[in-house]
Amino acid sequence: MNIQHELPTYVGIYCRLSKDDGNVGESGSIQNQKNFLKEYASKLGWNVIATYVDDGYSGTNFNRPGFQNLLSDIEKKRINCVLTKDLSRFGRNYILSGYYLEEYFPKNLIRCVAVNDNYDSLLETNTEFAPLKNIINEWYAKDISKKIKFSLKGIQERGEIRKRGTVLFGYQQDESGYRTPDPEASFIVQLIFQKYIEYKNLNQVTRYLTENHIPCPAYYDYLHTGSKALIYENCLEEQKYAWNRRSVTRILKNEQYLGTLINAQSHNLSFKVKKKVMNPTPLVFENKFEPIISKEIFDQAQRILKAYSWSLAPLGMNTYKRMLVCGCCGKPLTFGFRKDKKTEYSKYIYYCKNPSCTMRPLISKMLLDEIFKKELESILFYILEHQEEFLTYALTFTKDKNIQKSVFEANHKQQLMTRKKELEQYIEGTFKAQLEGDITKEMYQSITSGYKKELEEINLKLNLEVNDIKDINFHLAATTYFNRLKEIKNLQTIDTLLISTFCEQIRVKVNKITLKNFQYELIINYGALDDCIQEFLNQ
């Protein structure tokens, strides 16, 4: 085809290839695309200014480095023609492909030629089928994505081991993906668990790791694989051991160190939007690999994490943090202290600062410890003495006769919450695309109108009262409680770990006897076993 142009044609050649293009063969390789397009431009006497390449980038997303460089040169008026092998190389997103071909390029006086599709924006006769071509290209990408997801889902659901791009810190993997503990890295993981159980404080653990020059995961990876060389090749000394609370917590909470395989932890927002979304119910397969941490140590660390989360001092005075509520108004009690002006002695207190509360209880921490200790001893130790009877009682205990209906309603609510989160992420992703100029305001409104309508319907359903009682294995929960009780030799020390281990909430009620005399009552909620314990005591 010999096409004459009034002005010199300054060409930007664009090439792209990724996994979602399937088996395109040798002719579809990046190098062959370059050679083919350069030869085509040479025959027509066009000036090739630059070649833009996106190797390994999906056609469904236009935020590719090569394509962005192409747009930058268009803005700078370096080129006036975009040459590509076919429209599928240009992109596989129907909306965005149409936007660039029908709005952006014409507005910037850019000619676009897709050789194998016989597409030339200067010739109206052969551009009529471009929208249809773009739809087909998107369908192809969607079909490939569905096939890959279906295959991957089967592998994940069967618990098959496969090689990962990055292996979990502490492990090394062979060609099949099987993990074995890395001698050096696994020692670091074990050290983190050991020090956290000893210190019960994330800040102290990170300080210990940094001061003892323990390499952080990223630097360790650089030492053994050479990855991230640009960051660590000439980095500062402290950057090599840059541990923080988040990295330590991530290791402490990761149950994969028990030798567990966790699949389907996240998924892409859609086949177009590659943003990762965490799955609420990943697939868990125990005893797949050699563990680095024992179950006992892991569970102990989780109990400490629960007890001391957000705490800067392991033995801080606020041992009842987030546990105490007012028995009158139900608001959380505030922790504070009062200083005696004569003795300068500080008395730590818990009090209700809700101005509309009629009782506004105030109790010293010392008195609270004393009452709590008596309550715990009288109830839990009684149950421990009658272990066999209570375990038998817990074995047949049910919280609700309509438990199956309750579980169904709870599951339905979870499904609605999951879908709501997905819709919110779809809308957020599309809004960002509009802000970044990838789509127009009209395109944004068209895409999100259906999402927003469905979101409104879900919010209405969630506002209805849903019975959220879950099926509880009371016998298993009771056995766990007994095991924890046996770990405690006495109740001389009331600390956060002890409280959070056995209690979910403590309601503080106060009765005024005289002007200066008060009677306090603690109503303790024992979490999952609360109903079972209360009924056992009252039978």
Side-chain angles (χ1 to χ4, degrees):
M1 181 184 300
N2 189 10
I3 302 171
Q4 298 299 325
H5 203 305
E6 294 180 1
L7 297 175
T9 304
Y10 299 106
V11 174
I13 289 176
Y14 181 74
C15 308
R16 185 194 63 80
L17 187 67
S18 76
K19 292 179 181 179
D20 65 5
D21 295 311
N23 183 18
V24 295
E26 181 63 24
S27 64
S29 70
I30 292 294
Q31 190 56 50
N32 280 308
Q33 287 183 53
K34 288 181 184 178
N35 294 340
F36 173 76
L37 295 172
K38 284 180 180 178
E39 184 179 348
Y40 182 87
S42 176
K43 287 180 180 179
L44 295 175
W46 292 349
N47 302 309
V48 177
I49 302 300
T51 300
Y52 311 90
V53 175
D54 284 317
D55 194 0
Y57 287 86
S58 169
T60 59
N61 183 0
F62 278 78
N63 189 24
R64 322 170 206 139
F67 188 78
Q68 292 303 313
N69 290 336
L70 170 70
L71 297 181
S72 177
D73 281 349
I74 288 175
E75 298 291 338
K76 295 174 184 176
K77 309 298 182 185
R78 287 192 65 207
I79 60 175
N80 59 13
C81 179
V82 174
L83 180 62
T84 188
K85 186 179 179 184
D86 54 56
L87 291 173
S88 68
R89 300 306 95 214
F90 182 75
R92 293 188 182 277
N93 184 312
Y94 166 62
I95 293 175
L96 293 181
S97 294
Y99 165 73
Y100 284 109
L101 292 174
E102 298 177 24
E103 291 189 36
Y104 183 83
F105 285 169
K107 184 176 69 176
N108 288 277
L109 304 178
I110 299 298
R111 180 181 184 181
C112 182
V113 178
V115 181
N116 284 353
D117 286 331
N118 196 29
Y119 175 88
D120 189 331
S121 59
L122 278 187
L123 304 177
E124 294 184 1
T125 55
N126 60 7
T127 60
E128 296 173 352
F129 291 100
L132 180 59
K133 278 275 188 181
N134 289 331
I135 291 175
I136 293 171
N137 290 333
E138 181 174 311
W139 282 347
Y140 179 83
K142 187 174 184 178
D143 184 58
I144 291 293
S145 176
K146 286 174 64 177
K147 288 176 180 176
I148 292 173
K149 281 185 178 179
F150 181 78
S151 175
L152 182 60
K153 184 180 178 183
I155 293 172
Q156 292 174 336
E157 289 179 344
R158 291 191 296 271
E160 295 181 12
I161 298 171
R162 60 189 180 89
K163 191 172 183 180
R164 308 292 176 106
T166 55
V167 66
L168 178 67
F169 179 70
Y171 282 100
Q172 54 192 3
Q173 65 178 348
D174 57 23
E175 288 303 314
S176 67
Y178 187 80
R179 300 176 196 166
T180 53
D182 181 308
E184 296 177 47
S186 62
F187 171 76
I188 296 174
V189 172
Q190 292 167 348
L191 182 66
I192 288 172
F193 275 85
Q194 173 195 331
K195 290 300 176 183
Y196 183 66
I197 291 172
E198 178 184 346
Y199 297 145
K200 298 180 177 62
N201 183 274
L202 293 170
N203 289 340
Q204 289 188 32
V205 175
T206 57
R207 193 179 303 119
Y208 173 89
L209 296 171
T210 302
E211 291 175 353
N212 286 274
H213 287 187
I214 306 297
C216 65
Y219 180 60
Y220 184 88
D221 193 34
Y222 162 72
L223 292 176
H224 291 78
T225 67
S227 65
K228 301 181 180 177
L230 292 176
I231 299 175
Y232 291 105
E233 195 167 9
N234 298 304
C235 69
L236 298 174
E237 191 70 11
E238 57 264 25
Q239 198 171 348
K240 301 174 183 179
Y241 318 108
W243 289 91
N244 55 53
R245 288 168 60 96
R246 181 179 294 180
S247 57
V248 171
T249 303
R250 190 182 298 118
I251 288 174
L252 291 171
K253 288 186 175 181
N254 199 330
E255 61 182 293
Q256 294 184 83
Y257 290 117
L258 297 171
T260 300
L261 172 66
I262 302 181
N263 284 336
Q265 296 186 70
S266 64
H267 63 275
N268 288 333
L269 200 56
S270 73
F271 81 101
K272 292 182 183 180
V273 183
K274 302 303 180 183
K275 180 182 177 181
K276 292 290 183 182
V277 179
M278 299 307 296
N279 287 332
T281 53
L283 304 173
V284 179
F285 301 89
E286 297 179 350
N287 303 318
K288 281 286 187 177
F289 309 105
E290 182 182 341
I292 292 177
I293 301 298
S294 70
K295 185 73 165 61
E296 292 74 19
I297 291 176
F298 185 84
D299 287 345
Q300 189 176 356
Q302 304 318 298
R303 294 200 294 272
I304 297 172
L305 276 170
K306 180 183 176 182
Y308 292 102
S309 60
W310 304 105
S311 173
L312 298 179
L315 297 177
M317 295 305 295
N318 185 11
T319 52
Y320 295 88
K321 58 176 74 70
R322 301 188 304 280
M323 284 287 179
L324 297 177
V325 297
C326 175
C328 177
C329 67
K331 298 288 185 182
L333 295 188
T334 301
F335 179 69
F337 67 92
R338 285 183 174 178
K339 184 175 288 187
D340 190 299
K341 294 181 180 179
K342 294 181 181 179
T343 63
E344 293 295 317
Y345 173 74
S346 294
K347 180 170 69 173
Y348 291 92
I349 59 172
Y350 289 93
Y351 62 97
C352 178
K353 63 177 183 180
N354 178 14
S356 61
C357 180
T358 55
M359 294 302 297
R360 301 191 71 177
L362 183 150
I363 184 171
S364 70
K365 181 180 178 299
M366 187 181 298
L367 179 59
L368 182 63
D369 285 345
E370 183 182 333
I371 299 174
F372 178 76
K373 179 183 174 183
K374 289 180 180 179
E375 289 285 337
L376 210 59
E377 285 178 336
S378 64
I379 295 177
L380 294 183
F381 281 7
Y382 171 79
I383 293 174
L384 190 59
E385 290 174 2
H386 300 80
Q387 177 174 341
E388 295 303 322
E389 299 99 297
F390 183 66
L391 283 173
T392 303
Y393 185 80
L395 185 63
T396 57
F397 185 83
T398 56
K399 191 171 182 180
D400 193 316
K401 293 181 180 179
N402 299 319
I403 194 71
Q404 295 301 325
K405 180 182 177 183
S406 301
V407 171
F408 169 79
E409 290 174 339
N411 290 338
H412 179 62
K413 181 179 179 181
Q414 182 60 48
Q415 290 170 1
L416 289 175
M417 292 293 293
T418 302
R419 180 56 179 165
K420 178 184 177 181
K421 189 175 181 181
E422 288 178 353
L423 290 170
E424 289 172 342
Q425 288 166 338
Y426 288 150
I427 294 170
E428 180 186 357
T430 313
F431 181 69
K432 286 181 179 178
Q434 181 206 344
L435 289 180
E436 294 169 359
D438 290 341
I439 60 174
T440 63
K441 185 177 181 180
E442 291 74 23
M443 291 165 62
Y444 163 76
Q445 291 173 344
S446 175
I447 294 170
T448 58
S449 60
Y451 293 156
K452 290 180 177 179
K453 184 177 180 181
E454 185 180 353
L455 191 59
E456 288 177 3
E457 293 174 353
I458 288 177
N459 285 330
L460 285 174
K461 292 178 183 177
L462 288 174
N463 286 335
L464 299 176
E465 290 188 5
V466 178
N467 188 356
D468 205 12
I469 300 171
K470 296 183 179 178
D471 195 358
I472 299 169
N473 187 329
F474 292 97
H475 185 265
L476 179 60
T479 305
T480 304
Y481 262 53
F482 281 126
N483 292 336
R484 293 178 185 174
L485 269 174
K486 291 173 184 176
E487 294 175 4
I488 300 173
K489 295 179 181 179
N490 56 62
L491 288 175
Q492 296 303 314
T493 303
I494 303 295
D495 58 19
T496 306
L497 181 58
L498 173 70
I499 298 166
S500 63
T501 297
F502 297 105
C503 306
E504 187 171 291
Q505 188 184 81
I506 304 171
R507 297 180 70 88
V508 180
K509 297 184 72 174
V510 58
N511 297 313
K512 189 177 288 187
I513 300 174
T514 64
L515 187 62
K516 293 186 177 181
N517 292 325
F518 302 91
Q519 183 180 36
Y520 294 95
E521 178 188 2
L522 299 186
I523 303 172
I524 302 174
N525 184 309
Y526 294 95
L529 276 178
D530 189 61
D531 284 358
C532 189
I533 289 174
Q534 300 298 345
E535 292 197 19
F536 179 74
L537 295 173
N538 295 328
Q539 66 176 343

